[in-house]
Amino acid sequence: MEMEKLVSLCRRRGFLFQSSEIYGGLNGFWDYGPLGVELKRNVKEAWWRDMVTGHDDLDAPAGAPSAYEMTGLDCTIIMHPQVWKCSGHYDLFHDFMQTCRHCKKLFRSDHVWDMLKDAPWVLSFAEVFSAADFDNSQVVFSSPEALRWAQKKGKKLAPGLALVRNPSVTISWLAQDLANMPDMDLSLPTLMQYVATEQKAATGLQTPCPNCGGDLTEPREFNLMFETYTGAVRDEENKTFLRPETAQGIFVNFKNVLDSTRIKIPFGVAQMGKSFRNEITPRNFTFRSREFEQMEIEFFCHPDLSREWYEYWRDRRMKWYVDLGLAGDRLQLREHPPEELSHYSTGTSDIEYAFPFLQPGTFGELEGIAHRGDFDLRSHMEGKLDEKSDPLQLELGDDGKPKYKGSGRDLTYRDDASGQKYTPHVIEPSAGADRATLAFLCEAYTEDEAPDDKGKMKTRTVMKFHPRLAPIKAAVFPLVKKDGMPEIAKDIYRELKKDFNVFYDEKGAVGRRYRRQDEAGTPFCITVDGETLTDNTVTIRDRDSLEQRRVKIDDVPAEIARRLANDGL
Ligand code: ATP
């Protein structure tokens, strides 16, 4: 599937718009349109229902070490600044960024080479040297060809590239090095660094800008948290942050949840809501946004059972995506190898999806499931722990005192039955509502062949959403706007509206109306036609099979409910 087609459908049919579009948009911010808001609400509601309200607290589900309880929270976006000092976000939530000295664009250092692979000027340059494989092709360099490219295509596509701005000086470094080292390993990435470097002796080889080819600055640290001030005075004292994750609200309320309920370990607390990260290179539609929604669970368990609980949650969360239609080889579970884990963690895995905007064979993270030990509760209790210390110890400042003080509150747990007191271990399944919605959109987009009004086969675009996620569950049409058909159709619409999000449409040819619903992903279309007037039946058309069945009007609500239930609603 080509991403452009999905992006255009999302805009045309009101799934997603660029935020503040009439003012040119704001990079990294997206608005959900009339269909998009329903889709995203359905994703979040499915998560909340499946993880929290629909969870059976009494019996152990398949694969779980025991029964467990689930509950929820809704915490504020702005929290006490100490929360972020103890969580580590204040000191550690950094990315390295580089700026282009030419076009001034900012890039996340770990994204630069991935972006270069897709950059129009790189693809055009690679064509000249027939370098099909970005990482592995060896280039047979030719100065005249490079200069010809620089004068024509390069000028337009990469105005900042040293080879374009000062060709003779730039080429002379490469020529000199090739003369001194005839066996030099000249891959495309190396060649690109040479053509981005004007003064090699002074600067060393430069990394080119994916946008204009200009040279990038050295990587600099950049904190991803958005800052603001609470109260009228804008001084350091009043500086606060927009939360970069929802998880911390759960940790700091751990004791409140215990004290206000009769919940016992093992239990999970879920929260969903907005998070904010000042991403340096927001891109790929909503995949990397600056404002997004997360769906997070902190699951508290006994340390001895944490590995089993980690495995349970990893598999449970993977199954959730499969059940909602993300099947096949586009979805994968990637277990982090032991050397990538923090020493206090017994396991971490990512659920990943092969988004169509990524290079073939690469996957993007939908959700991370991490065993976090007792790191978070202890940090909020004792003060920020040093993540690298083993066993975990308080991080100390230059004066030898704790760098960030904890709350001093007792966040341990006392097991009434055994009398044992301990700091629970945590399993954290952390998902993104926008990334999941985007994956469901990508997976749903289908082009197939269907007959038009005259029975001629035509290409049709259909969003094959799982019925639970479909923004509209059914549409009701009168075949024509006369003979009392609209009145009957409106009655059916009103009856169905009591339980489902349904849509009424009487405008234009019925074939066109079907196509519009196919694009919206509506699973069922109900049509009142001539036969209805004689035998009180209507047709129900199935979005995917295109099958049309006649059903008695009185049976329509039960039939729609039955079909949705069969599909897991
Ligand atoms: P990435 O490596 O892609 O930046 P991450 O590992 O930092 O992601 P987490 O901190 O684990 O992400 O956040 C949990 C989830 O929140 C992610 O799996 C993703 O679904 C979502 N998420 C994180 N950052 C963004 C973002 N900038 N835009 C949209 N969703 C995001």
Side-chain angles (χ1 to χ4, degrees):
M1 190 260 293
E2 295 144 50
M3 199 57 202
E4 295 75 46
K5 287 190 177 170
L6 177 68
V7 173
S8 125
L9 178 124
C10 281
R11 193 176 179 286
R12 186 162 49 80
R13 293 308 315 272
F15 282 101
L16 277 162
F17 308 123
Q18 224 189 337
S19 161
S20 337
E21 197 189 71
I22 60 166
Y23 290 105
L26 186 60
N27 202 6
F29 295 87
W30 295 90
D31 293 337
Y32 286 81
L35 286 177
V37 65
E38 296 298 334
L39 174 66
K40 187 171 159 189
R41 279 175 65 107
N42 291 343
V43 170
K44 291 191 293 177
E45 276 169 23
W47 181 82
W48 193 261
R49 169 105 198 114
D50 294 345
M51 296 301 120
V52 186
T53 48
H55 169 71
D56 176 356
D57 288 350
L58 309 178
D59 262 339
S66 69
Y68 64 91
E69 290 178 73
M70 286 297 294
T71 189
L73 276 174
D74 184 12
C75 308
T76 58
I77 285 169
I78 296 177
M79 300 169 73
H80 194 292
Q82 199 67 12
V83 170
W84 307 112
K85 292 184 174 155
C86 287
S87 71
H89 289 85
Y90 186 77
D91 279 348
L92 293 172
F93 202 52
H94 287 132
D95 272 340
F96 283 91
M97 66 163 200
Q98 290 172 275
T99 317
C100 172
R101 292 196 174 92
H102 256 258
C103 68
K104 309 293 176 210
K105 278 206 161 41
L106 293 177
F107 300 94
R108 226 171 96 171
S109 296
D110 58 340
H111 289 170
V112 167
W113 284 100
D114 270 350
M115 293 177 86
L116 278 168
K117 283 181 192 174
D118 291 332
W121 73 264
V122 176
L123 296 174
S124 153
F125 187 67
E127 223 176 84
V128 174
F129 297 101
S130 314
D133 180 349
F134 187 87
D135 294 311
N136 301 316
S137 304
Q138 288 298 306
V139 176
V140 181
F141 183 67
S142 137
S143 299
E145 293 220 36
L147 290 172
R148 239 193 322 274
W149 177 86
Q151 271 162 11
K152 286 196 171 159
K153 294 203 169 148
K155 260 195 182 144
K156 270 193 235 132
L157 296 173
L161 194 68
L163 178 72
V164 172
R165 288 185 287 108
N166 195 348
S168 48
V169 175
T170 304
I171 289 264
S172 65
W173 293 107
L174 179 58
Q176 190 181 317
D177 286 356
L178 279 172
N180 292 339
M181 301 176 280
D183 294 335
M184 189 168 101
D185 174 29
L186 196 57
S187 62
L188 189 59
T190 314
L191 177 58
M192 280 163 46
Q193 286 182 294
Y194 269 101
V195 295
T197 308
E198 203 176 320
Q199 301 297 338
K200 180 168 171 261
T203 62
L205 284 179
Q206 301 279 43
T207 304
C209 161
N211 180 49
C212 77
D215 47 315
L216 299 181
T217 58
E218 285 301 300
R220 281 191 296 254
E221 268 192 280
F222 173 85
N223 193 309
L224 297 185
M225 278 198 294
F226 278 99
E227 294 175 5
T228 188
Y229 296 89
T230 42
V233 184
R234 293 188 150 251
D235 62 11
E236 205 50 32
E237 291 260 289
N238 293 329
K239 195 196 272 182
T240 44
F241 304 92
L242 305 193
R243 68 180 176 200
E245 62 171 36
T246 59
Q248 297 304 321
I250 304 179
F251 292 125
V252 300
N253 275 296
F254 173 71
K255 206 71 183 164
N256 285 338
V257 172
L258 274 183
D259 292 348
S260 60
T261 62
R262 290 192 301 177
I263 211 158
K264 289 198 166 35
I265 275 183
F267 70 90
V269 183
Q271 167 161 230
M272 59 188 177
K274 291 268 178 163
S275 290
F276 300 81
R277 295 183 189 177
N278 198 359
E279 298 277 2
I280 296 154
T281 38
R283 62 194 173 123
N284 292 334
F285 217 9
T286 54
F287 181 83
R288 190 169 299 288
S289 317
R290 289 177 164 143
E291 175 175 341
F292 54 97
E293 256 179 292
Q294 289 185 307
M295 308 185 292
E296 298 195 292
I297 295 171
E298 303 303 327
F299 186 81
F300 302 96
C301 61
H302 191 282
D304 292 349
L305 287 171
S306 59
R307 174 73 200 176
E308 278 109 307
W309 280 114
Y310 159 72
E311 285 169 4
Y312 165 73
W313 277 105
R314 179 196 60 193
D315 300 344
R316 174 74 191 93
R317 292 301 306 147
M318 180 73 178
K319 187 172 178 302
W320 189 76
Y321 292 98
V322 174
D323 288 349
L324 286 172
L326 293 193
D329 50 13
R330 281 193 291 273
L331 187 73
Q332 76 172 18
L333 183 77
R334 188 177 67 83
E335 187 90 38
H336 291 209
E339 60 275 15
E340 269 183 38
L341 300 178
S342 335
H343 64 82
Y344 54 82
S345 172
T346 59
T348 293
S349 46
D350 290 339
I351 297 173
E352 302 178 327
Y353 184 72
F355 287 96
F357 46 75
L358 301 173
Q359 294 280 328
T362 46
F363 289 74
E365 178 183 321
L366 281 181
E367 169 160 355
I369 299 105
H371 169 241
R372 299 188 50 84
D374 57 7
F375 179 85
D376 305 276
L377 286 178
R378 277 187 57 202
S379 286
H380 285 302
M381 193 161 43
E382 299 165 22
K384 164 87 193 343
L385 297 173
D386 176 356
E387 261 179 285
K388 297 200 176 65
S389 60
D390 185 10
L392 285 167
Q393 278 167 7
L394 275 181
E395 189 172 331
L396 302 179
D398 295 339
D399 55 3
K401 295 191 179 139
K403 191 162 178 204
Y404 300 120
K405 275 196 196 151
S407 65
R409 295 290 181 89
D410 179 8
L411 303 181
T412 57
Y413 178 81
R414 199 184 143 79
D415 187 323
D416 288 342
S418 66
Q420 194 191 8
K421 199 170 167 213
Y422 59 91
T423 310
H425 275 201
V426 166
I427 314 298
E428 179 184 77
S430 169
D434 306 85
R435 281 196 194 168
T437 303
L438 184 58
F440 290 124
L441 276 165
C442 293
E443 187 76 15
Y445 187 96
T446 314
E447 283 177 2
D448 63 10
E449 297 265 305
D452 67 3
D453 278 343
K454 296 180 190 87
K456 227 173 116 193
M457 291 308 269
K458 283 262 172 70
T459 304
R460 120 179 134 135
T461 303
V462 50
M463 297 300 284
K464 292 192 172 174
F465 294 121
H466 188 287
R468 280 184 83 183
L469 303 182
I472 302 168
K473 306 299 179 202
V476 189
F477 309 148
L479 184 65
V480 288
K481 254 197 307 190
K482 56 182 189 190
D483 301 334
M485 291 186 205
E487 288 68 26
I488 301 174
K490 282 177 190 167
D491 281 348
I492 298 174
Y493 160 82
R494 290 193 187 105
E495 194 54 36
L496 287 172
K497 241 314 95 127
K498 292 178 188 164
D499 296 312
F500 311 110
N501 189 21
V502 280
F503 184 76
Y504 175 80
D505 189 5
E506 57 179 26
K507 291 186 210 80
V510 75
R512 283 265 198 78
R513 283 179 262 162
Y514 283 141
R515 293 300 167 96
R516 281 186 66 76
Q517 292 309 314
D518 288 342
E519 280 188 344
T522 308
F524 307 110
C525 289
I526 298 150
T527 306
V528 173
D529 56 15
E531 237 179 287
T532 313
L533 308 177
T534 57
D535 67 2
N536 271 331
T537 63
V538 291
T539 59
I540 300 184
R541 169 189 181 266
D542 183 279
R543 178 195 67 196
D544 299 344
S545 69
L546 295 173
E547 187 192 48
Q548 299 202 24
R549 285 246 187 108
R550 294 208 78 86
V551 174
K552 284 228 167 314
I553 290 180
D554 289 347
D555 295 341
V556 168
E559 177 62 16
I560 294 293
R562 188 188 65 77
R563 293 197 193 189
L564 289 169
N566 272 355
D567 285 312
L569 191 82

